[in-house]
Amino acid sequence: MSRIFSGVQPTGDLHLGNYLGAIRNFVGLQDDFECLYCVVDMHAITVWQDPELLAPHTREVAAAFLASGIDPTDSIIFNQSQVTAHAELAWVFNCVARMGWLNRMTQFKEKAGKHRENASIGLYVYPNLMAADILAYKATHVPVGEDQKQHLELTRDIAIKFNNDFGAEFFPVVEPLIFGEATRVMSLRDGTKKMSKSDPSEYSRINLTDGADDIAGKIRKAKTDPGELPGTESLTEDGRHIDAEIERTRPEAFNLLSIYAALSGQTIAATLDQFAGSQFSSFKGELVDLSVSKLGPIGAEMQRLMAAPDHVDQILHDGANRAAAIAAPVIKEVHKIVGFLGA
Ligand code: TYM
């Protein structure tokens, strides 16, 4: 049986990359699969979070899930810390994963930066907790943006090593689901950098709660180049993707075009065809209109939901109970397999 799991950190300022790379894809999967969508507050505290803001930020992610169209009566929406299975399984995985594997994680290197010795141990073992999130439910498919690919490789390695070490065909080897026309949304200020919450410039990203004026201002100021917009000659032979070499020469242009394609629900090929030879100024006008019409209602609904915290908290609480019921027998079986007395 297939089961979907994915998570989003409540670190504030959800942005267009989170939406196009992940949350929007969560919505469509609900019709065909059992889905668990988790606000990963335990992951968030691997770097400092103001305790006053963690709960509101947790509600913000839940509100984004709901406002984007995730149905809480169908899918399970919850926050990680309310289900103890995540921490319990993460400990077992800390004993399965190897230092050498974690040393290769590029996200740790990026986040720890030059101050590696000062990074939390939590940040280092972050991918083990991520594996526990997924495997506590024996999830088989994980929709994410491209930046999470390496972490999912590690989840696969952990599942395989656990199964081998204990001679049990227990955990599934998960498949990443990385799809859509914008699996890696780049900064609006620098097309070679990922759009990210940690970028100090507000103009680098569109936040999901931005109003129409902010969206318009950020798109109008977005970096471009002096050329006209490229056309379908920039595609790979199969006509479905932008050629990586060509993309490298004009990263800002292709980022904006990919955003347009993803928001409009049309292919990148159709988008290139539509705007080939246009000036950036007219294209940006169209992108503003499209972005405001697609993101405006989501932002407004998020604001409405965040103003009713009890309602959102109840959804997270109910979701946590449903999630815990799925994870409990898995954890029990893990204890038995490992040999803990009392299982
Ligand atoms: P997080 O909170 O950084 O991001 C949430 C989701 O948004 C995607 N994303 C992007 N996609 C495209 N372009 C971007 N610029 C961009 N920025 C972020 C991410 O790929 C992600 O899908 N480690 C995860 C959270 C997590 C998780 C899990 C995910 C914890 N446990 C288990 C899946 C399964 C993270 O940091 O996401």
Side-chain angles (χ1 to χ4, degrees):
M1 194 192 64
S2 298
R3 184 179 278 153
I4 305 283
F5 182 98
S6 197
V8 176
Q9 295 192 77
T11 41
D13 284 347
L14 276 178
H15 54 71
L16 186 62
N18 299 128
Y19 179 65
L20 294 178
I23 300 173
R24 199 181 60 153
N25 290 346
F26 299 173
V27 180
L29 293 165
Q30 299 180 103
D31 300 336
D32 300 317
F33 301 101
E34 181 184 13
C35 299
L36 294 107
Y37 296 125
C38 185
V39 188
V40 289
D41 47 7
M42 290 159 61
H43 276 105
I45 66 162
T46 57
V47 298
W48 174 250
Q49 300 299 321
D50 182 343
E52 297 284 327
L53 294 180
L54 189 54
H57 285 165
T58 300
R59 291 187 193 108
E60 184 197 6
V61 178
F65 287 171
L66 296 166
S68 303
I70 295 172
D71 174 0
T73 58
D74 184 8
S75 299
I76 298 178
I77 298 179
F78 69 109
N79 59 311
Q80 193 182 26
S81 61
Q82 288 205 69
V83 181
T84 57
H86 297 248
E88 291 176 62
L89 189 56
W91 180 256
V92 175
F93 289 168
N94 284 345
C95 303
V96 172
R98 306 289 95 183
M99 298 269 289
W101 299 359
L102 291 174
N103 285 341
R104 284 197 286 275
M105 296 293 115
T106 52
Q107 198 147 311
F108 174 76
K109 289 181 200 162
E110 277 164 25
K111 285 198 180 171
K114 291 191 193 84
H115 310 290
R116 208 187 133 117
E117 296 298 315
N118 212 19
S120 73
I121 299 289
L123 190 64
Y124 185 64
V125 295
Y126 178 114
N128 296 348
L129 178 60
M130 200 167 144
D133 296 339
I134 299 163
L135 295 175
Y137 305 96
K138 291 192 165 183
T140 53
H141 295 80
V142 184
V144 283
E146 217 168 277
D147 61 340
Q148 295 301 312
K149 209 169 163 181
Q150 194 186 33
H151 286 158
L152 293 182
E153 285 293 326
L154 191 94
T155 299
R156 292 164 63 94
D157 289 343
I158 288 176
I160 292 167
K161 183 161 170 28
F162 181 95
N163 291 347
N164 279 341
D165 285 356
F166 294 101
E169 269 316 302
F170 188 66
F171 285 121
V173 179
V174 299
E175 290 295 335
L177 297 177
I178 300 173
F179 62 97
E181 299 294 349
T183 55
R184 187 173 171 82
V185 178
M186 308 309 275
S187 158
L188 300 181
R189 306 298 300 156
D190 177 351
T192 62
K193 275 178 29 193
K194 193 178 74 169
M195 184 177 284
S196 139
K197 312 176 206 205
S198 55
D199 193 312
S201 169
E202 275 295 322
Y203 280 93
S204 69
R205 64 182 161 267
I206 293 172
N207 294 324
L208 289 186
T209 49
D210 279 348
D213 289 349
D214 284 326
I215 295 175
K218 289 175 181 183
I219 291 176
R220 292 234 162 77
K221 283 210 169 62
K223 187 176 170 199
T224 53
D225 59 44
E228 293 169 344
L229 284 162
T232 48
E233 71 284 353
S234 325
L235 293 170
T236 50
E237 255 174 38
D238 65 7
R240 290 175 47 210
H241 302 284
I242 301 162
D243 181 277
E245 282 304 313
I246 299 177
E247 188 172 16
R248 211 163 295 143
T249 59
R250 303 184 69 187
E252 287 83 14
F254 289 108
N255 185 41
L256 294 176
L257 284 160
S258 300
I259 292 172
Y260 188 96
L263 282 174
S264 65
Q266 68 186 21
T267 59
I268 188 69
T271 306
L272 288 169
D273 201 33
Q274 183 178 345
F275 293 107
S278 302
Q279 300 298 316
F280 276 104
S281 53
S282 63
F283 166 67
K284 278 184 169 180
E286 304 246 5
L287 184 57
V288 167
D289 292 346
L290 177 66
S291 303
V292 169
S293 77
K294 295 287 176 183
L295 303 176
I298 294 174
E301 177 64 0
M302 283 175 69
Q303 303 284 11
R304 194 187 68 78
L305 287 162
M306 286 189 284
D310 292 349
H311 172 63
V312 174
D313 292 4
Q314 189 61 47
I315 288 173
L316 291 171
H317 186 69
D318 291 347
N321 285 337
R322 288 163 66 199
I326 300 174
V330 178
I331 298 296
K332 197 160 183 217
E333 194 60 28
V334 168
H335 280 212
K336 219 190 257 171
I337 291 171
V338 170
F340 288 151
L341 190 143

